[in-house]
Amino acid sequence: MAGLSFRVIEQEVVKRGACYRCLACVYACPLRSLKVEHGKPVLKGRCSACGLCVTVCPSYANRDVSSWSGPGEYVLAVKARSLLRSVVERCEDGGAVTSLVLAGFREGFKPVVALGDSREPLKPIYVVAESEEKIVEATGSKYVFSTPIPILAEMGEKALLVGLPCTTLAARALLKARRIEAVLISLFCYTSFEESFVKLVRQLVAPLKPTKVSIKRGKLLIKADGREILKPLKAVAETFRKPCYFCPDYTGLASDISAGSALEKGWTLLLIRSEKGLRLVRVAERLGLLELTRASRDELEAVARTCERKLARAAKFRK
């Protein structure tokens, strides 16, 4: 997209409230002219109109949703669950994503995963996992938004990312521009949360200390001091990220594997989109890390319905 300047992103994305805050444009700029203010990109230097910022922007890429439908193309749909007790004890669904990351690690990939902050376990921080113990520690969904782009921008080869649809799309464009081999796993995502989510969850269970949260069928399950507390999701609705309303992608169309909750408890639904993704699944199965079975029609139809709801919401906000 040479010839397009950052002004395109400024007008079409940032000023409309559609900036996902992935920061891909900041790290793509060859002149380092973009800075971050209040979580958003701002032009602070000369723009050469090279178009790289426009190329990597996931919100700009998804500006036209007129041709979108359902969960997109995939080569295989399966249900999977981890065969590792250490993973099963920590996971929310089947723990399949952690087993896939472990398989990639053993194949020489460098996993980029979200860990809970040591001071605040509900707040995720992306790191390059340098051991299997760190990969297992990262098991479980992190609902507060965090971007892996600063980490990915410094990597030289064989990255394996677990991210959201918006960040996997940004990562795909950024890594392609730098010719870096990567496997991208996207988690299904209808919305994520601002950092204020952490404070609100603490208030909901005070004086207990929350250590983990999960969201199931419109309910918020909070684990705190050995207890489980159930709250309606609307209790934290004020912390939903507004940019998510502009995002049409529920499953992560730019990924090699999309992963989310299956209807059957204890299983993860996987949509395998590429040969790279299929190889990783087969490696995990061969290493005894993963058990597979076919996804049912009901499960695929449920995903398709959620895709259509998110698409309709995005189309409304992007008018």
Side-chain angles (χ1 to χ4, degrees), residues 68-88:
W68 285 48
S69 179
E73 296 182 0
Y74 52 88
V75 297
L76 184 64
V78 296
K79 287 189 298 186
R81 62 184 177 187
S82 178
L83 293 175
L84 300 177
R85 178 176 294 181
S86 60
V87 174
V88 173

PDB file of all heavy atoms in Angstrom, residues 68-88:
ATOM      1  N   TRP A  68     -18.267 -10.928   4.112  1.00  0.00           N
ATOM      2  CA  TRP A  68     -17.963 -11.881   5.182  1.00  0.00           C
ATOM      3  C   TRP A  68     -19.149 -12.802   5.451  1.00  0.00           C
ATOM      4  O   TRP A  68     -20.305 -12.401   5.329  1.00  0.00           O
ATOM      5  CB  TRP A  68     -17.607 -11.139   6.463  1.00  0.00           C
ATOM      6  CG  TRP A  68     -16.241 -10.534   6.468  1.00  0.00           C
ATOM      7  CD1 TRP A  68     -15.675  -9.778   5.480  1.00  0.00           C
ATOM      8  CD2 TRP A  68     -15.278 -10.608   7.513  1.00  0.00           C
ATOM      9  NE1 TRP A  68     -14.418  -9.371   5.842  1.00  0.00           N
ATOM     10  CE2 TRP A  68     -14.147  -9.866   7.088  1.00  0.00           C
ATOM     11  CE3 TRP A  68     -15.257 -11.201   8.763  1.00  0.00           C
ATOM     12  CZ2 TRP A  68     -13.014  -9.718   7.872  1.00  0.00           C
ATOM     13  CZ3 TRP A  68     -14.124 -11.058   9.548  1.00  0.00           C
ATOM     14  CH2 TRP A  68     -13.022 -10.330   9.102  1.00  0.00           C
ATOM     15  N   SER A  69     -18.839 -14.028   5.893  1.00  0.00           N
ATOM     16  CA  SER A  69     -19.889 -14.965   6.277  1.00  0.00           C
ATOM     17  C   SER A  69     -19.286 -16.107   7.091  1.00  0.00           C
ATOM     18  O   SER A  69     -18.310 -16.728   6.660  1.00  0.00           O
ATOM     19  CB  SER A  69     -20.584 -15.529   5.042  1.00  0.00           C
ATOM     20  OG  SER A  69     -21.583 -16.457   5.405  1.00  0.00           O
ATOM     21  N   GLY A  70     -19.860 -16.383   8.266  1.00  0.00           N
ATOM     22  CA  GLY A  70     -19.474 -17.538   9.058  1.00  0.00           C
ATOM     23  C   GLY A  70     -18.038 -17.528   9.539  1.00  0.00           C
ATOM     24  O   GLY A  70     -17.377 -16.491   9.569  1.00  0.00           O
ATOM     25  N   PRO A  71     -17.525 -18.701   9.894  1.00  0.00           N
ATOM     26  CA  PRO A  71     -16.184 -18.805  10.493  1.00  0.00           C
ATOM     27  C   PRO A  71     -15.044 -18.833   9.487  1.00  0.00           C
ATOM     28  O   PRO A  71     -13.896 -19.013   9.870  1.00  0.00           O
ATOM     29  CB  PRO A  71     -16.260 -20.122  11.255  1.00  0.00           C
ATOM     30  CG  PRO A  71     -17.222 -20.954  10.479  1.00  0.00           C
ATOM     31  CD  PRO A  71     -18.241 -19.985   9.945  1.00  0.00           C
ATOM     32  N   GLY A  72     -15.325 -18.661   8.198  1.00  0.00           N
ATOM     33  CA  GLY A  72     -14.268 -18.654   7.200  1.00  0.00           C
ATOM     34  C   GLY A  72     -13.860 -20.057   6.770  1.00  0.00           C
ATOM     35  O   GLY A  72     -14.470 -21.059   7.154  1.00  0.00           O
ATOM     36  N   GLU A  73     -12.820 -20.139   5.965  1.00  0.00           N
ATOM     37  CA  GLU A  73     -12.370 -21.422   5.420  1.00  0.00           C
ATOM     38  C   GLU A  73     -11.458 -22.160   6.403  1.00  0.00           C
ATOM     39  O   GLU A  73     -10.669 -21.546   7.099  1.00  0.00           O
ATOM     40  CB  GLU A  73     -11.629 -21.196   4.096  1.00  0.00           C
ATOM     41  CG  GLU A  73     -12.514 -20.611   2.998  1.00  0.00           C
ATOM     42  CD  GLU A  73     -11.760 -20.452   1.697  1.00  0.00           C
ATOM     43  OE1 GLU A  73     -10.552 -20.790   1.659  1.00  0.00           O
ATOM     44  OE2 GLU A  73     -12.375 -19.981   0.730  1.00  0.00           O
ATOM     45  N   TYR A  74     -11.589 -23.479   6.407  1.00  0.00           N
ATOM     46  CA  TYR A  74     -10.691 -24.324   7.203  1.00  0.00           C
ATOM     47  C   TYR A  74     -10.613 -25.693   6.546  1.00  0.00           C
ATOM     48  O   TYR A  74     -11.509 -26.100   5.798  1.00  0.00           O
ATOM     49  CB  TYR A  74     -11.160 -24.433   8.658  1.00  0.00           C
ATOM     50  CG  TYR A  74     -12.599 -24.844   8.841  1.00  0.00           C
ATOM     51  CD1 TYR A  74     -12.966 -26.187   8.909  1.00  0.00           C
ATOM     52  CD2 TYR A  74     -13.606 -23.888   8.959  1.00  0.00           C
ATOM     53  CE1 TYR A  74     -14.286 -26.566   9.082  1.00  0.00           C
ATOM     54  CE2 TYR A  74     -14.933 -24.254   9.134  1.00  0.00           C
ATOM     55  CZ  TYR A  74     -15.269 -25.590   9.193  1.00  0.00           C
ATOM     56  OH  TYR A  74     -16.574 -25.956   9.357  1.00  0.00           O
ATOM     57  N   VAL A  75      -9.513 -26.402   6.796  1.00  0.00           N
ATOM     58  CA  VAL A  75      -9.319 -27.708   6.165  1.00  0.00           C
ATOM     59  C   VAL A  75      -9.865 -28.843   7.025  1.00  0.00           C
ATOM     60  O   VAL A  75     -10.163 -29.928   6.507  1.00  0.00           O
ATOM     61  CB  VAL A  75      -7.827 -27.958   5.844  1.00  0.00           C
ATOM     62  CG1 VAL A  75      -7.327 -26.942   4.841  1.00  0.00           C
ATOM     63  CG2 VAL A  75      -6.972 -27.919   7.112  1.00  0.00           C
ATOM     64  N   LEU A  76      -9.985 -28.607   8.327  1.00  0.00           N
ATOM     65  CA  LEU A  76     -10.467 -29.653   9.231  1.00  0.00           C
ATOM     66  C   LEU A  76     -11.001 -29.021  10.507  1.00  0.00           C
ATOM     67  O   LEU A  76     -10.409 -28.063  11.020  1.00  0.00           O
ATOM     68  CB  LEU A  76      -9.327 -30.617   9.578  1.00  0.00           C
ATOM     69  CG  LEU A  76      -9.666 -31.842  10.444  1.00  0.00           C
ATOM     70  CD1 LEU A  76     -10.631 -32.760   9.699  1.00  0.00           C
ATOM     71  CD2 LEU A  76      -8.398 -32.597  10.833  1.00  0.00           C
ATOM     72  N   ALA A  77     -12.109 -29.544  11.002  1.00  0.00           N
ATOM     73  CA  ALA A  77     -12.673 -29.100  12.279  1.00  0.00           C
ATOM     74  C   ALA A  77     -12.705 -30.291  13.232  1.00  0.00           C
ATOM     75  O   ALA A  77     -13.281 -31.337  12.913  1.00  0.00           O
ATOM     76  CB  ALA A  77     -14.076 -28.546  12.090  1.00  0.00           C
ATOM     77  N   VAL A  78     -12.061 -30.149  14.396  1.00  0.00           N
ATOM     78  CA  VAL A  78     -11.997 -31.239  15.364  1.00  0.00           C
ATOM     79  C   VAL A  78     -12.237 -30.711  16.769  1.00  0.00           C
ATOM     80  O   VAL A  78     -12.125 -29.509  17.027  1.00  0.00           O
ATOM     81  CB  VAL A  78     -10.622 -31.953  15.329  1.00  0.00           C
ATOM     82  CG1 VAL A  78     -10.392 -32.624  13.989  1.00  0.00           C
ATOM     83  CG2 VAL A  78      -9.500 -30.984  15.659  1.00  0.00           C
ATOM     84  N   LYS A  79     -12.549 -31.620  17.659  1.00  0.00           N
ATOM     85  CA  LYS A  79     -12.510 -31.342  19.096  1.00  0.00           C
ATOM     86  C   LYS A  79     -11.238 -31.979  19.638  1.00  0.00           C
ATOM     87  O   LYS A  79     -10.829 -33.053  19.188  1.00  0.00           O
ATOM     88  CB  LYS A  79     -13.732 -31.918  19.805  1.00  0.00           C
ATOM     89  CG  LYS A  79     -15.015 -31.174  19.539  1.00  0.00           C
ATOM     90  CD  LYS A  79     -16.147 -31.648  20.432  1.00  0.00           C
ATOM     91  CE  LYS A  79     -16.478 -33.100  20.208  1.00  0.00           C
ATOM     92  NZ  LYS A  79     -17.683 -33.524  20.972  1.00  0.00           N
ATOM     93  N   ALA A  80     -10.618 -31.306  20.590  1.00  0.00           N
ATOM     94  CA  ALA A  80      -9.354 -31.808  21.118  1.00  0.00           C
ATOM     95  C   ALA A  80      -9.280 -31.554  22.615  1.00  0.00           C
ATOM     96  O   ALA A  80      -9.916 -30.627  23.137  1.00  0.00           O
ATOM     97  CB  ALA A  80      -8.177 -31.134  20.412  1.00  0.00           C
ATOM     98  N   ARG A  81      -8.492 -32.356  23.296  1.00  0.00           N
ATOM     99  CA  ARG A  81      -8.209 -32.100  24.711  1.00  0.00           C
ATOM    100  C   ARG A  81      -6.814 -32.595  25.048  1.00  0.00           C
ATOM    101  O   ARG A  81      -6.306 -33.557  24.464  1.00  0.00           O
ATOM    102  CB  ARG A  81      -9.247 -32.758  25.611  1.00  0.00           C
ATOM    103  CG  ARG A  81      -9.341 -34.266  25.545  1.00  0.00           C
ATOM    104  CD  ARG A  81     -10.485 -34.760  26.438  1.00  0.00           C
ATOM    105  NE  ARG A  81     -10.661 -36.202  26.344  1.00  0.00           N
ATOM    106  CZ  ARG A  81     -11.676 -36.861  26.915  1.00  0.00           C
ATOM    107  NH1 ARG A  81     -12.587 -36.198  27.607  1.00  0.00           N
ATOM    108  NH2 ARG A  81     -11.764 -38.175  26.793  1.00  0.00           N
ATOM    109  N   SER A  82      -6.214 -31.909  25.987  1.00  0.00           N
ATOM    110  CA  SER A  82      -4.860 -32.237  26.403  1.00  0.00           C
ATOM    111  C   SER A  82      -4.828 -33.562  27.148  1.00  0.00           C
ATOM    112  O   SER A  82      -5.778 -33.917  27.858  1.00  0.00           O
ATOM    113  CB  SER A  82      -4.304 -31.133  27.304  1.00  0.00           C
ATOM    114  OG  SER A  82      -3.010 -31.466  27.760  1.00  0.00           O
ATOM    115  N   LEU A  83      -3.733 -34.282  26.983  1.00  0.00           N
ATOM    116  CA  LEU A  83      -3.533 -35.529  27.715  1.00  0.00           C
ATOM    117  C   LEU A  83      -2.563 -35.356  28.880  1.00  0.00           C
ATOM    118  O   LEU A  83      -2.143 -36.338  29.486  1.00  0.00           O
ATOM    119  CB  LEU A  83      -3.005 -36.603  26.754  1.00  0.00           C
ATOM    120  CG  LEU A  83      -4.000 -37.050  25.665  1.00  0.00           C
ATOM    121  CD1 LEU A  83      -3.337 -38.012  24.691  1.00  0.00           C
ATOM    122  CD2 LEU A  83      -5.233 -37.686  26.287  1.00  0.00           C
ATOM    123  N   LEU A  84      -2.229 -34.099  29.192  1.00  0.00           N
ATOM    124  CA  LEU A  84      -1.311 -33.809  30.280  1.00  0.00           C
ATOM    125  C   LEU A  84      -2.076 -33.355  31.523  1.00  0.00           C
ATOM    126  O   LEU A  84      -2.830 -32.379  31.471  1.00  0.00           O
ATOM    127  CB  LEU A  84      -0.314 -32.730  29.864  1.00  0.00           C
ATOM    128  CG  LEU A  84       0.571 -33.048  28.654  1.00  0.00           C
ATOM    129  CD1 LEU A  84       1.452 -31.859  28.319  1.00  0.00           C
ATOM    130  CD2 LEU A  84       1.418 -34.289  28.927  1.00  0.00           C
ATOM    131  N   ARG A  85      -1.867 -34.026  32.620  1.00  0.00           N
ATOM    132  CA  ARG A  85      -2.589 -33.678  33.849  1.00  0.00           C
ATOM    133  C   ARG A  85      -2.290 -32.252  34.297  1.00  0.00           C
ATOM    134  O   ARG A  85      -3.188 -31.536  34.740  1.00  0.00           O
ATOM    135  CB  ARG A  85      -2.204 -34.654  34.970  1.00  0.00           C
ATOM    136  CG  ARG A  85      -2.873 -34.331  36.299  1.00  0.00           C
ATOM    137  CD  ARG A  85      -2.555 -35.358  37.365  1.00  0.00           C
ATOM    138  NE  ARG A  85      -3.126 -36.652  37.040  1.00  0.00           N
ATOM    139  CZ  ARG A  85      -3.010 -37.729  37.808  1.00  0.00           C
ATOM    140  NH1 ARG A  85      -2.316 -37.657  38.940  1.00  0.00           N
ATOM    141  NH2 ARG A  85      -3.561 -38.862  37.453  1.00  0.00           N
ATOM    142  N   SER A  86      -1.034 -31.829  34.157  1.00  0.00           N
ATOM    143  CA  SER A  86      -0.654 -30.481  34.591  1.00  0.00           C
ATOM    144  C   SER A  86      -1.410 -29.409  33.822  1.00  0.00           C
ATOM    145  O   SER A  86      -1.669 -28.322  34.348  1.00  0.00           O
ATOM    146  CB  SER A  86       0.856 -30.273  34.415  1.00  0.00           C
ATOM    147  OG  SER A  86       1.232 -30.437  33.055  1.00  0.00           O
ATOM    148  N   VAL A  87      -1.771 -29.708  32.583  1.00  0.00           N
ATOM    149  CA  VAL A  87      -2.534 -28.767  31.756  1.00  0.00           C
ATOM    150  C   VAL A  87      -4.015 -28.840  32.101  1.00  0.00           C
ATOM    151  O   VAL A  87      -4.682 -27.815  32.289  1.00  0.00           O
ATOM    152  CB  VAL A  87      -2.311 -29.052  30.264  1.00  0.00           C
ATOM    153  CG1 VAL A  87      -3.216 -28.173  29.403  1.00  0.00           C
ATOM    154  CG2 VAL A  87      -0.852 -28.832  29.900  1.00  0.00           C
ATOM    155  N   VAL A  88      -4.537 -30.044  32.204  1.00  0.00           N
ATOM    156  CA  VAL A  88      -5.961 -30.241  32.490  1.00  0.00           C
ATOM    157  C   VAL A  88      -6.350 -29.586  33.810  1.00  0.00           C
ATOM    158  O   VAL A  88      -7.440 -29.029  33.952  1.00  0.00           O
ATOM    159  CB  VAL A  88      -6.310 -31.747  32.507  1.00  0.00           C
ATOM    160  CG1 VAL A  88      -7.740 -31.965  32.980  1.00  0.00           C
ATOM    161  CG2 VAL A  88      -6.111 -32.336  31.114  1.00  0.00           C
TER     162      VAL A  88
END
